[in-house]
Amino acid sequence: MTATRSRLAPEARRRQIVDAARTLYVERPYDEVSTAELAAAAGVARGLINHYFGSKRDVFLEVMRSSIRMPESELPDLSDLPLPERARRTVDWILEAAETYGHAWLAASGAADLHGGGELQAIVDEADDHAARLTLDALGLPDDPHLRARLRSLAPLFKSVCREWQQRGTLTRAEAADLLTDTVLLFATKETTR
Amino acid sequence: MTATRSRLAPEARRRQIVDAARTLYVERPYDEVSTAELAAAAGVARGLINHYFGSKRDVFLEVMRSSIRMPESELPDLSDLPLPERARRTVDWILEAAETYGHAWLAASGAADLHGGGELQAIVDEADDHAARLTLDALGLPDDPHLRARLRSLAPLFKSVCREWQQRGTLTRAEAADLLTDTVLLFATKETTR
DNA sequence: TCGACTATTGGCAAAGTGTCAACAGACGAC
DNA sequence: GTCGTCTGTTGACACTTTGCCAATAGTCGA
């Protein structure tokens, strides 16, 4: 019954394995999913998993890496709007993205450090930093390290608010947008007492 | 060289194992630490680990559970201060706690869902909810589900801001306090447009 | 059609996990 | 002081899983 062995381009095969792994990891924890299952789900031999990813954890990290990134879709040019309006639209754009791609994003978002041994933390941090850069750009603000640190710390807030809104229904979307918009403005503009 | 087998009260033994495990998990990821190592670090036989915790993951979850909770130390009575001042002092109290017990708290905080299969997520959520309740109490605000949902979503923000401040040094403590105080006030009081 | 390249497989050896019957401190009864 | 019971603790066993590697077989160009 062995379906004739198929030969794919390495990249395609990698994607195929990662995709199969993702669907398994959403409903079962890391150490309950064996490489045998991973291989079966992807329809390949077990050995191939190690061939492509090295170790089992590397598969997991790759799944995270690919799930965690915000979609790169373009935000329309906001450069001639006043800052508060730019903030509002930026937040709205993020919420929109969360609504569409949200599940994987939220599912992956919280998972960090202890597991994955700092590597996972690094992946999450990179994604948050990336999001901060995008946001600063959308707001038309300069990308200096200090401002970016501020905005970076907002990424986990976005995720937790989206979780309250989408998964628990304890906040409405409008309310989430209001709160986040004000917070973005606060973090982006507040002068600190020296 | 077998140190004569010692016999401890189950609770003491559990604590001993959890403590030993914690020190291992801070610098090595979950699946790189074997139960043999756990046992060796705690100075017990491998079988005892399963006897007390059932499975390897249960040890890990117990480590998280015990690391993640905010300290229960008392916040002085703030009931006759104006709300903004109460917020300022509450935030300050949390930052103080973060400074003291912070490392374990921050290390454990981010770790969530995919690993641990929802159980870990539930543990983190419980801790965040608990923190939200404490905060509402300190602010002297009513503990209704909606307000609590708002404050609960702030917990990850506190953690990420503390990380920027303590681990990266990108924010000063005063700045962190300022931003968080304003955000708490915002989330605690803002009326949403209906 | 042939040959080289390499994606893919299956099986092996080492390591890890959970279980269990047997062992041995601790404590009360006498 | 000695015996007997209770139960915390151990070491070994059976099973699963992981990473590795030599052999296999698609695929493409000559």
Side-chain angles (χ1 to χ4, degrees):
Chain A
M1 70 142 283
T2 33
T4 59
R5 106 165 33 178
S6 67
R7 190 191 180 91
L8 258 59
E11 271 186 50
R13 190 62 87 187
R14 276 184 78 95
R15 246 195 315 279
Q16 179 190 22
I17 293 174
V18 169
D19 287 343
R22 182 172 11 248
T23 67
L24 289 180
Y25 282 138
V26 292
E27 60 184 41
R28 219 119 51 81
Y30 170 76
D31 62 348
E32 273 193 6
V33 180
S34 67
T35 55
E37 274 180 290
L38 256 40
V44 300
R46 232 193 59 262
L48 204 60
I49 300 225
N50 288 301
H51 174 71
Y52 275 109
F53 297 91
S55 77
K56 182 185 169 184
R57 185 173 55 248
D58 289 323
V59 178
F60 179 78
L61 290 177
E62 189 58 37
V63 169
M64 297 310 255
R65 219 184 310 267
S66 67
S67 301
I68 209 168
R69 199 122 196 180
M70 279 183 52
E72 293 276 353
S73 79
E74 291 304 320
L75 179 65
D77 185 33
L78 305 175
S79 53
D80 47 5
L81 295 170
L83 184 58
E85 183 60 18
R86 271 181 279 174
R88 208 186 64 70
R89 298 212 187 179
T90 304
V91 167
D92 224 65
W93 171 68
I94 294 174
L95 293 189
E96 192 67 32
E99 202 153 24
T100 311
Y101 305 92
H103 191 58
W105 181 51
L106 292 181
S109 67
D113 57 351
L114 286 211
H115 281 128
E119 298 178 70
L120 185 47
Q121 180 72 59
I123 292 174
V124 174
D125 286 351
E126 216 290 308
D128 288 351
D129 192 71
H130 181 69
R133 233 173 310 150
L134 285 183
T135 306
L136 277 176
D137 183 55
L139 292 176
L141 294 174
D143 181 9
D144 78 281
H146 181 242
L147 249 191
R148 189 141 102 227
R150 282 190 174 190
L151 282 248
R152 192 168 49 218
S153 70
L154 283 183
L157 177 68
F158 271 83
K159 293 166 199 164
S160 64
V161 167
C162 283
R163 252 187 91 215
E164 293 290 343
W165 155 45
Q166 290 191 303
Q167 296 182 4
R168 303 191 167 178
T170 48
L171 301 179
T172 64
R173 172 169 171 162
E175 190 177 3
D178 274 7
L179 291 169
L180 289 173
T181 301
D182 287 356
T183 311
V184 166
L185 283 170
L186 175 64
F187 274 61
T189 63
K190 179 173 176 103
E191 288 296 328
T192 308
T193 59
R194 308 268 166 185
Chain B
M1 70 142 279
T2 32
T4 59
R5 96 162 49 173
S6 68
R7 190 190 178 90
L8 257 59
E11 272 185 48
R13 189 64 85 188
R14 275 185 79 95
R15 247 197 314 280
Q16 180 191 22
I17 293 173
V18 169
D19 287 343
R22 181 173 10 249
T23 66
L24 289 181
Y25 282 138
V26 293
E27 60 185 40
R28 218 116 52 80
Y30 171 75
D31 63 348
E32 272 192 7
V33 180
S34 66
T35 56
E37 273 181 292
L38 255 41
V44 299
R46 220 174 48 75
L48 205 60
I49 302 243
N50 289 299
H51 174 70
Y52 275 108
F53 296 91
S55 76
K56 182 185 169 183
R57 185 173 56 244
D58 288 323
V59 178
F60 178 78
L61 290 177
E62 189 58 37
V63 169
M64 297 311 251
R65 216 183 313 265
S66 67
S67 301
I68 209 168
R69 199 124 196 180
M70 278 184 54
E72 292 277 353
S73 79
E74 290 305 319
L75 178 65
D77 184 34
L78 306 174
S79 53
D80 48 3
L81 296 170
L83 184 58
E85 184 59 19
R86 273 180 279 174
R88 208 187 62 69
R89 297 210 186 179
T90 303
V91 166
D92 225 66
W93 171 66
I94 294 175
L95 293 190
E96 193 67 34
E99 201 152 23
T100 311
Y101 306 91
H103 192 58
W105 180 51
L106 292 181
S109 66
D113 60 349
L114 286 213
H115 281 128
E119 298 177 71
L120 185 48
Q121 179 73 58
I123 292 173
V124 174
D125 285 350
E126 215 290 309
D128 288 351
D129 191 71
H130 181 69
R133 232 173 310 149
L134 285 183
T135 307
L136 277 177
D137 183 55
L139 293 176
L141 294 174
D143 181 10
D144 78 280
H146 181 242
L147 250 191
R148 188 140 103 229
R150 282 191 175 188
L151 282 246
R152 192 168 49 220
S153 69
L154 283 182
L157 178 68
F158 271 84
K159 294 167 199 164
S160 65
V161 168
C162 283
R163 253 187 91 216
E164 293 291 343
W165 156 44
Q166 290 192 304
Q167 297 182 3
R168 303 193 168 175
T170 48
L171 301 179
T172 66
R173 171 169 170 160
E175 188 177 6
D178 274 7
L179 291 169
L180 288 173
T181 300
D182 287 355
T183 311
V184 166
L185 283 171
L186 175 64
F187 274 61
T189 63
K190 179 171 176 101
E191 289 295 328
T192 308
T193 58
R194 308 266 164 184

